[in-house]
Amino acid sequence: MPARPVAPALRRNRRDADRRFGIRLFGSAAVAAVAAVLFGLLLVLVESGWHPLRRLDAGAARWLNRTALDHPAWTGTLRFLSDVVWDPVTLRAAVAVLTLWLLHRRAWRLAAWSAVTAVAGGLTGLLVKVVVERARPALPEPVAQAPGFSFPSGHAMTATTSFAILLLVLLPMVRRRLRPLFWAVAAVSVLGVGFTRIALGVHWFSDVVGGWTLGLAVVALTGWSFEAWRADAGLGRSEVAEGLEPELSGDDAEPEDPGPDPGPGPAR
């Protein structure tokens, strides 16, 4: 029976796959662009001292500071979460261990993505802090202190990049029914980091939002680059819900380029 009728179907499948990949790649670029634009707008508003934003920052700081002063046990819990559980050193150590494990699995490119995303996020946040030079909140009765400049929040940015790295790398090895739980833990942690920094009076509300958006932009850009590499290597598409490298759940962490399709075999 001739094998020629298979070729048009194969071409259609490839066109559909290419179209879906293009949509995902465009989506990644759009997320990065939107996050970058939002961060740029926020930076302009912070630098210009926009009154509504200043009023929002000051109101949130005063209200949360009063709450912290009235509930010392609650404040102690916030300190523990901010300074131990969600401390940037803790999260960066977790990413470092993950990167070493990826190297052990011989997932070279995914390990490089993990390391580059973490380092790029840290350096970008530090550079913006030095450029903006925004002072931290000065409250009459502070419950915590932090060194350095305020915008953007390094804790919020590190949490965003670190939990994104952990999720996008480890999701392929998590059962599908448990994946919503992992997403929920990551989301609660990122939001919780921001809340603790504002509640402890060491960051303005806009500092935290700036850290979230800048961290999201970094992850979207590096993730976009990784997806482009997969396309060039012929490894096929990957959904965000499946992680950056679905093959990590198998024995072959980074399968070789399958090469061009040989086409239909000879008619028999």
Side-chain angles (χ1 to χ4, degrees), residues 42 53 56-58 60-61 134 198 203-210 212:
L42 184 61
L53 182 61
L56 174 63
D57 280 339
R134 189 186 198 188
I198 303 169
H203 275 296
W204 304 106
F205 173 78
S206 53
D207 297 336
V208 168
V209 175
W212 286 337

Side-chain angles (χ1 to χ4, degrees), residues 237-254:
R237 65 191 183 90
S238 65
E239 301 284 352
V240 172
E242 303 291 332
L244 279 182
E245 194 162 283
E247 298 85 1
L248 195 63
S249 60
D251 295 330
D252 193 1
E254 288 188 358

Side-chain angles (χ1 to χ4, degrees), residues 65-79:
N65 180 246
R66 286 196 300 269
T67 303
L69 290 170
D70 293 339
H71 301 85
W74 167 247
T75 304
T77 302
L78 295 180
R79 284 202 194 95

Side-chain angles (χ1 to χ4, degrees), residues 60-142:
R62 285 194 300 268
W63 179 72
L64 288 171
N65 180 246
R66 286 196 300 269
T67 303
L69 290 170
D70 293 339
H71 301 85
W74 167 247
T75 304
T77 302
L78 295 180
R79 284 202 194 95
F80 175 75
L81 290 172
S82 182
D83 298 339
V84 179
V85 179
W86 293 326
D87 186 76
V89 174
T90 304
L91 298 180
R92 287 167 186 156
V95 171
V97 171
L98 177 69
T99 304
L100 291 174
W101 176 77
L102 290 172
L103 291 173
H104 174 72
R105 286 291 307 274
R106 305 178 71 84
W108 313 115
R109 296 174 183 86
L110 194 58
W113 174 81
S114 171
V116 168
T117 302
V119 173
L123 292 179
T124 302
L126 181 61
L127 177 62
V128 176
K129 278 179 179 284
V130 172
V131 171
V132 177
E133 295 186 338
R134 189 186 198 188
R136 293 183 183 270
L139 300 168
E141 298 180 74

